[in-house]
Each structure stands twice: as structure tokens, then as C-alpha cells.
Amino acid sequence: MILNSIIIENIRSYEHEEIEFPKGITLFEGDIGSGKSTVLMAIEFALFGLGSQKPEALLAKKADSGSVILDFAVGDDKYAIKRTLLRKNDAVGQDSKKSWLRVNGAELPLSASELKQKVLEILKFNEPADPKAESRIFRYAIFTPQEAMKEVLADPKKRKETIRKAFGIEDYSIALGNAKELQIELRTKVGILKERFSNQSMIENEISNLKKSIETDSAQFEELEKKITVSQRISEDFKKRLDDLRAKKTDRVRLESKKDSIVSEIAMYNRELENIESEFAEFEIELKKDNEKLEQLEKIVKPETDMSVSEINSEIKKYQDINNELISLQSVENSINDDILRIKDTMGEKTNLDSDEMSAALKELETEKTILSRHYEDIKSKLDGIKTSQVEKQTEKRTLDKEIENFTKLGNACPTCKQVITESHHHALVGDKQNQSANLETELKEITNTFFELSKEEKDVNSKIDSYDLEISKIQKIIPGIEEYKVKSAKLAEVEAKITQISSQMNENYKDNPVEYLNRLKEEIAHYEGKEVQAQEIVLRREKIQSKIKSGIEITESNQIKINQSESQLKEIENELIKIGNIDSKLIQLEKEEEENRTQITTISSQRAGLGQKIADQKARLSENESKVAESLVWQSKYKKTSEFQVWLEQFFIPTITQIENQVLKSIGHNFNETYRRWYSMLVEDPTKESRIDEDFTPIVEQDGYEQEVSYLSGGEKTSIALAYRLTLNSLMRKESESLKSNLLILDEPTDGFSKNQLQKIRDLLEELKSEQIVLVSHEKELETYVDNVYKISKEMGVSKILKI
């Protein structure tokens, strides 16, 4: 690969620079921090993308976009590649829409990841196209920063990883790492599998014991079954004998109950006879009292009046109504007087006002209030309209602001079809929306001012309406009081006249109280008229008593017959009870024996049930253990296979991979050491010192046969070792990679810390490299005489500039 040119746009400290790369040795010279390394970073970015770099570190701080266009050749084919960085929403990323690859003049639009894949194919770099990974071959064969190489040399682990990556043998290390992780997992798994069948012998012993126990318990179970059968037969015999005794006992209870019932009947009949005799004595006393009452009734005389009781009642009702009316009128009179006093206390002199004049004033106030209310409603209607308009304008403005925000986010994309539009077209669309938004803002301010003016007027009108309401309320309260006072005064005069009229009616026919007199007269008439009724009642009562006496005699004769019959039945029952005799003791004894037999059956049944459950549990346990043994055999088989795999992995695979890797590294190390020693001898001409590479690819420095710590060497010596190591990697990888025959080499600060004598060695070293194109980056001006082309890099006002000398 040969570099032709590069165009850098807004990359780090560069705004715009175009650089030609002629063949031969080209030096980029400048002070530290002037921007030399940025050129190398731009080359790597153009070819392979960001890799592990952060896009924010590449794009210029003040720029929204930046790009690199690299022109290069591979063999007879010409290529140009462009990569673009874009800042969007405070984040930086590659812009695939503005990235492309040009092959012999034909441009191919490719994404960031597609570009890297294509470049690897062009360069024939056999490595993965991971967009986040650096190119291994480019980094170790073409361009390795000097400081990065020093870090590799200082870290043994990182140095070994670098060798593996550089020569593409990291698969051995990865395989070993995976194998060791698998080894740990296998050890854990083997332990778990072994644990799962560790108790197999114990379970087999338990199975043998369970079978013996089941056999013994089954024989005992059959013996208990036989005992239960015998006891159940005895229980059936007890049941027959008990049923016979209980039937006799039931008959005895029935007879005794019947005997008690007959005795109760005889007692009842005797009580009825006693009650009849008692009633006869009471009848005699009652008849005597009735005779005495008849004698008293003969002495009652008829009152001196021609009115009947009904006429007297009518007269009483008449005067009661008059009296009630008088009482009611007096109550009304008192109530009206109280109301008149209350009205005078409340209104004072206002009771003398004219109600018609007050009503006219009230009507006038209500008319004026109606006019104000209509005006108030008009204001409210206008305010509602303003609020609605304000909401509509605010909604419209928010929609416009959202559209403006979306336009800004979309960049140069059309908000409708999402296609790319010109920047001027985009600004015109955004400007139009912003003007509409500004006009709406002005309209909203005018609406708000109008709203506040109408709100103030609304408050003033509402205040006037409230004052009218207060005045109307006062008049409305006075008018009813005036009218009520006039009505009450007229009603009082009417009631007083009525009371006078009724009072004269009450004293017209009777000197005393008419109602009391008429009530006494009514009682005397009723007493006289009741004389005949009472006499008739006494006669009827006497007839009833005589009828009851006759019925009592009949009942007495009937009860006597029933008593004789019941006494005969009682005698027969007593004879039957004597025949049955006392069977309670026999029944108790037999029930006791039957209970003992039933208890024995329950005990044996409980024993049998417990034994049956025990046998069932043992059988279940036996089945479970047999399943466990079968399962243990499966785990044992898995354990055997896993153990064999573990042994193969630990004793064969891991040692084999380790041996293969060591052999490969040893083969590489032999060539690496020879090449390294050649480059070192060219850079360091000290016969007392020599350097070699050990089996861990560590540079070893010896002086007069004694090893020296690299960390104690001078800066120039450290740089020499790093450069020799770097050139060794380049030399060996160039042999491994077919695409590196053109031999492009980039050296970043290769002489840092060199003395003047060492700088003179660089001429010989560059000639020895025999590369078609070498790019040097250094701040050493002495190198200008050793190269074919010189570019001077400087920085002014934070911007890097390149000048070809």
C-alpha cells in the first residue's frame, strides 16, 4: 500500500489541510503539541474507522462535522476513501450518508462498518472487521506509536498479548483460557455428580431392612385379622341377647307410663268433682247478692225533665262547641297581640310607612338591577369568547413550536417525506414557522390585555349589582312587616268583637255553667233508665246459674263412672309388671360384657390399622429407595463420563495446547531474536553492550556479561530498544502478510531521547529498511538532512497548519 494524499477537515486542531505523500522518506516536523500525531490518527481513521478511539476526541470542539479523505494505491489499483463525523444532540458519531469508497474512479456509498470490511479485503488483511477493534496488522506492521511500544515493553502480560495478536496466534491463549474455565466447571460438576450417588450403599441396606420388616409385619397383620373375626362373632351373640332384654324393658316402661297416665286421670276426675262443689257454693252467694240488688233498684225515682239523653247530649255538645270556640278565639287574640308587639319592637316607627310607596321604589330598583345584570352577562360572554380564543391560539403556538423543534432535530431532512433538502430550503421552512409563532405571540398579548380590562369591568358591574341586591333586600324585608301589621290589627278587632258576642250567649239560658248542669242531669236520667236493664240482667244471670248447676250434676255422675273404670285398668297393669320383674341388673351386666368385647375389637382394629399404615409406608419408602438407586446408577454413569472428560482435558488437551503454543512462540522467538539483535546492533554501537529476546519476548540487555534492568537505562537507550522491537515486528509481519510487500512504514517519534551520535545512525537504518514509502513524525530538525520530503507543522491560535519545505 502506498499513500498518495489526505484531506483533513475539522479534525482535532485542523480546520482544512491537504497533504501530498510522495514516495521515499517524508518527515513531518514540528514542536510538541503542534498536531503531528493527528495526521497519523487521521490516516488510521480513514482506513479502519474509530476502533477504540472516541469520536469526540477526533472532531474539532467547535465544529458540527468533520471528515478525512485518504487517497492510496495497492498495486495498480487506485483508491480513495472518505469518512465523516457528525455532532448531533451533544453526541458525535460517524455519518454513513457522507462516507464512500472510490475504486479506480467508481464511487461506492458504504456505511462505516462496510468501509472497514472493504479496506481489509483490499489490503488482504486476514482479520475480523469489528468496527470497535483496531487493525492488528496495521498497528504492528505499519504504524505503532513509539509510546505505545514502550508501554508494551514495560508490561510482560501486555507484551505477550501483543506478540499473540501480531502473529495471529491468540487462538491458543483463548483456547487455554476457555479450557481452564471449563476445567473449573467440570471439577464442580464432578463433585456434584459424585455427591448425588454417594449414599447408594446406605439406600441398598435400607431396602434390604425394609423387605424384612414388611414380611414380619404382614404375618402379624394376618394374626390381628383372625382375632377381629372371632371378636365380631361374639359381638353378634351379645347383640341378640341385648335386643331381647331391651324389648322387655321397653314393655315395662310402656306399662309404667300407662299406669302413671291412669293414676293422673283418676286424680283429674276427683279434682273436677271438687271444683263443681266449689262452684255450687259460689252460685249460692251470687244469687243472694242479686236479690239484695233488686230491692235497691225498686227505690230509684225518675228525674223532673222532659228532655231525653240524646237531646241533653246535643245541648252539651252545643255549649262545648261554643266554649271551645271562645277558648280558641282567646288564644288567637293572645297570639295576635304577641305578633303586633313583635312587629313594633322590630320595625318601630316604620309601621306607619305607606307600603304602596315602598313597592314602587322596589320595582324601580329591580328594573335598574335587571339592566346591570344583562350588561354583566354580556361581559361574561365576551370573557368566555376571549378564553376560548386564547386556548386556541396557545394550542396553535405549541404545535408550531413542536414543529420547529422537530425540524431542528431532523437536520436537513424534510419533515414530511424525510428526504434530504437543501439547507436554504430548511432555513426557509423553519423561518416561516418561527414568523407564524411570533405573530401568535403578539395576538396572545393583545388577547391577555383585553381579558384583564373586561375582568376589571366585570368586577365593577358585579359590585353595583351587589349594592342593588342589598337595598332591594332591605325594602323587601320592610314591606311584608308593614302589611303584616295592618292585617294583624284588623284581625285583632274582629276577634275581640267575636269574643264579646260568644260570652253573652253562654249566660243567656243558665245561671251556672251550662255544660256541668246538663252532665249531672244526663247521669240521673241514665241511672233511672238503667234500673230496668239491671233487673233484666239479674234474671238472665239467675237462669244461667241454674243451667250450670244442672250441668255440674251430670259431669259429677259421668266422672264417677270413669274413675271406677280406670281403677280396674290400673289393677291389670300392676299384675303384668309383676310378671316382667326386675331386668335392669341383667341388662347392665350384659351391656358391660358387650362393651368390653367392643373395646377389644377397637383396640385390635387400631393395631391392625397402624400396622397396615406402617406396611404401606414401608412399601412406599421401598419404592422410593428403589427409584433412588435407579437414579443413582444414572448419575454414576454421568459421573464416569464427566470424570473421563475432565481427565482428558487436564492431562491431554491443556498440556497439548500449551506445548503447541510454546512451540509456535519458540519458533517465532528464534526469528524474532535474530532480527531484533540485528536492528539493535545498528542503533547501539557499544561493544560492551548487547541485547537479546528471552523466551517471554522480553528484551534483555547485557553489559560485560551482566544483565541490566531496562528501567535503569537512559531515555535514548530505551527508545533504541523500543524502535528495534518495533522494526522487528514490522520485518517479521511483512514476511507473513502478502499485502505488505509494498512496505509502507510509519514511524512516530522514533528518535525521542536520541543523542546526536544516535541520530546519525538513523540514516543507515532508513537505508536498511528499503521501503518504498516511509513517513516520519518527529520534532528533531536534524532528521531533515536524512529524508526526501519535509513538512513543517505549526499551531497558531489553536489551529494547526502544514507547510512543505
Side-chain angles (χ1 to χ4, degrees), residues 509-569:
N509 298 319
Y510 301 98
K511 294 180 180 179
D512 298 328
N513 189 318
V515 176
E516 292 179 0
Y517 171 76
L518 291 170
N519 278 325
R520 285 198 303 271
L521 183 61
K522 185 178 74 170
E523 288 176 1
E524 291 176 1
I525 293 172
H527 192 50
Y528 176 76
E529 289 178 349
K531 167 184 172 182
E532 294 297 331
V533 175
Q534 291 179 20
Q536 291 176 2
E537 289 176 354
I538 290 170
V539 172
L540 289 173
R541 191 161 52 247
R542 185 179 295 172
E543 291 175 355
K544 287 180 181 179
I545 289 172
Q546 289 174 350
S547 174
K548 287 181 179 179
I549 290 172
K550 182 179 178 182
S551 175
I553 292 170
E554 293 174 353
I555 292 170
T556 300
E557 293 174 352
S558 174
N559 283 352
Q560 193 61 52
I561 294 170
K562 290 177 180 178
I563 289 170
N564 293 335
Q565 292 174 349
S566 296
E567 287 177 347
S568 174
Q569 290 177 2

Side-chain angles (χ1 to χ4, degrees), residues 314-328:
S314 297
E315 193 73 9
I316 289 171
K317 186 176 183 306
K318 170 187 170 183
Y319 282 103
Q320 282 179 339
D321 291 343
I322 293 171
N323 189 51
N324 289 338
E325 185 179 1
L326 180 61
I327 293 170
S328 176

Side-chain angles (χ1 to χ4, degrees), residues 413-657:
C414 176
T416 304
C417 63
K418 302 297 185 294
Q419 297 297 317
V420 177
I421 61 176
T422 63
E423 187 172 353
S424 60
H425 186 192
H426 179 268
H427 285 318
L429 288 174
V430 174
D432 183 44
K433 296 293 181 180
Q434 288 175 340
N435 290 336
Q436 293 179 32
S437 177
N439 292 336
L440 286 173
E441 182 69 28
T442 303
E443 291 179 18
L444 281 170
K445 288 180 180 179
E446 292 174 357
I447 289 171
T448 302
N449 293 336
T450 305
F451 178 81
F452 285 131
E453 290 173 2
L454 284 174
S455 296
K456 184 177 182 303
E457 186 178 356
E458 178 194 26
K459 290 180 181 178
D460 294 340
V461 172
N462 192 40
S463 177
K464 289 181 180 180
I465 291 172
D466 289 342
S467 65
Y468 273 90
D469 284 337
L470 181 61
E471 191 65 27
I472 288 168
S473 175
K474 289 179 181 179
I475 295 173
Q476 286 175 339
K477 289 178 181 178
I478 292 172
I479 291 173
I482 295 170
E483 292 177 349
E484 183 183 6
Y485 178 77
K486 290 181 179 179
V487 171
K488 294 289 183 181
S489 298
K491 183 68 175 178
L492 180 60
E494 183 182 342
V495 169
E496 288 175 345
K498 191 71 174 176
I499 290 172
T500 302
Q501 180 185 353
I502 291 172
S503 296
S504 63
Q505 288 179 3
M506 288 288 289
N507 299 324
E508 186 177 353
N509 298 319
Y510 301 98
K511 294 180 180 179
D512 298 328
N513 189 318
V515 176
E516 292 179 0
Y517 171 76
L518 291 170
N519 278 325
R520 285 198 303 271
L521 183 61
K522 185 178 74 170
E523 288 176 1
E524 291 176 1
I525 293 172
H527 192 50
Y528 176 76
E529 289 178 349
K531 167 184 172 182
E532 294 297 331
V533 175
Q534 291 179 20
Q536 291 176 2
E537 289 176 354
I538 290 170
V539 172
L540 289 173
R541 191 161 52 247
R542 185 179 295 172
E543 291 175 355
K544 287 180 181 179
I545 289 172
Q546 289 174 350
S547 174
K548 287 181 179 179
I549 290 172
K550 182 179 178 182
S551 175
I553 292 170
E554 293 174 353
I555 292 170
T556 300
E557 293 174 352
S558 174
N559 283 352
Q560 193 61 52
I561 294 170
K562 290 177 180 178
I563 289 170
N564 293 335
Q565 292 174 349
S566 296
E567 287 177 347
S568 174
Q569 290 177 2
L570 184 62
K571 194 169 183 180
E572 291 175 0
I573 290 169
E574 288 175 346
N575 290 332
E576 289 182 15
L577 288 172
I578 291 170
K579 290 178 182 179
I580 293 172
N582 185 12
I583 60 170
D584 289 340
S585 58
K586 294 179 182 179
L587 183 62
I588 291 169
Q589 181 60 33
L590 194 59
E591 286 177 342
K592 183 178 178 183
E593 293 175 4
E594 194 268 344
E595 178 65 26
E596 290 174 353
N597 185 66
R598 187 164 56 247
T599 301
Q600 186 177 2
I601 291 172
T602 302
T603 302
I604 296 172
S605 296
S606 178
Q607 292 174 354
R608 181 188 62 175
L611 196 59
Q613 183 62 46
K614 180 182 177 184
I615 292 169
D617 292 342
Q618 288 174 337
K619 287 180 178 179
R621 180 67 177 169
L622 177 63
S623 176
E624 181 183 351
N625 284 340
E626 287 173 345
S627 297
K628 287 182 178 178
V629 169
E631 186 179 357
S632 294
L633 292 174
V634 174
W635 291 121
Q636 195 170 7
S637 175
K638 290 182 179 180
Y639 167 78
K640 184 178 178 182
K641 291 178 181 178
T642 306
S643 297
E644 290 173 353
F645 181 60
Q646 180 189 2
V647 170
W648 175 83
L649 186 70
E650 292 177 349
Q651 297 181 9
F652 176 76
F653 182 79
I654 292 176
T656 301
I657 294 296

Side-chain angles (χ1 to χ4, degrees), residues 91-92 160 180 550 593:
V92 179
K160 206 72 170 283
K180 288 177 181 178
K550 182 179 178 182
E593 293 175 4

Side-chain angles (χ1 to χ4, degrees), residues 50 53-60 85 92-94:
L50 291 168
Q53 292 187 85
K54 292 183 179 180
E56 296 85 354
L58 277 178
L59 182 62
L85 292 173
V92 179
Q94 292 195 63

Side-chain angles (χ1 to χ4, degrees), residues 767-782:
E767 290 177 356
E768 180 67 20
L769 286 172
K770 298 178 182 179
S771 295
E772 291 182 60
Q773 189 177 52
I774 298 175
V775 177
L776 289 175
V777 172
S778 177
H779 61 276
E780 301 286 354
K781 291 186 178 182
E782 287 82 355

